[in-house]
């Protein structure tokens, strides 16, 4: 079986623990200081109705505007894509006003 990598695709890098230890720590590039790195998958989990969507909208607003998020500096402000599968457009829109 052969596998062709599509042009422009980014392949994951697999390295041994020994290699990573020898390589040492590299500086971390943060979006939100010591909280959110670019190119990572982050999950917000909690019980229903405790404010997960509100926290994520606040995070999105902070990244887009460059304003601090929960006291943490936005190191790399920029565009944000917010996708909501639960709330309607009016509920989402009014939370950003």
């Amino acid at each position: 079986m052969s596998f062709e990598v599509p042009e422009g695709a980014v392949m994951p890098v697999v390295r041994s623990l020994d290699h990573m230890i020898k390589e040492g720590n590299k500086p971390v590039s943060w979006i939100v200081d010591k909280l959110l790195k670019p190119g990572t998958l982050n999950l917000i989990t909690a019980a229903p109705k405790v404010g997960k969507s509100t926290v994520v909208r606040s995070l999105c607003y902070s990244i887009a505007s460059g304003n601090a998020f929960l006291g943490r500096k936005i190191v790399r402000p920029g565009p944000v894509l917010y996708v909501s599968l639960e709330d309607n457009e009016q509920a989402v829109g009014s939370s950003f006003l």
Side-chain angles (χ1 to χ4, degrees):
M1 174 188 276
S2 66
F3 176 76
E4 292 184 33
V5 177
E7 186 176 328
V10 177
M11 293 298 296
V13 176
V14 178
R15 297 213 166 98
S16 68
L17 180 58
D18 183 54
H19 175 83
M20 290 187 288
I21 291 170
K22 287 178 183 175
E23 191 175 80
N25 291 334
K26 293 182 178 181
V28 175
S29 171
W30 297 102
I31 294 174
V32 180
D33 192 36
K34 295 184 178 90
L35 182 67
L36 184 66
K37 296 185 237 180
T40 59
L41 174 65
N42 299 271
L43 300 175
I44 306 290
T45 62
K49 299 302 207 183
V50 296
K52 296 180 297 291
S53 295
T54 301
V55 168
V56 171
R57 288 180 193 140
S58 178
L59 173 61
C60 291
Y61 178 80
S62 292
I63 293 169
S65 68
N67 294 326
F69 174 71
L70 300 177
R72 294 179 186 263
K73 179 182 178 187
I74 304 301
V75 180
R76 291 178 51 191
V80 174
L81 173 65
Y82 178 80
V83 178
S84 175
L85 302 177
E86 296 177 344
D87 297 320
N88 63 38
E89 185 177 348
Q90 183 179 6
V92 172
S94 65
S95 67
F96 286 111
L97 297 177

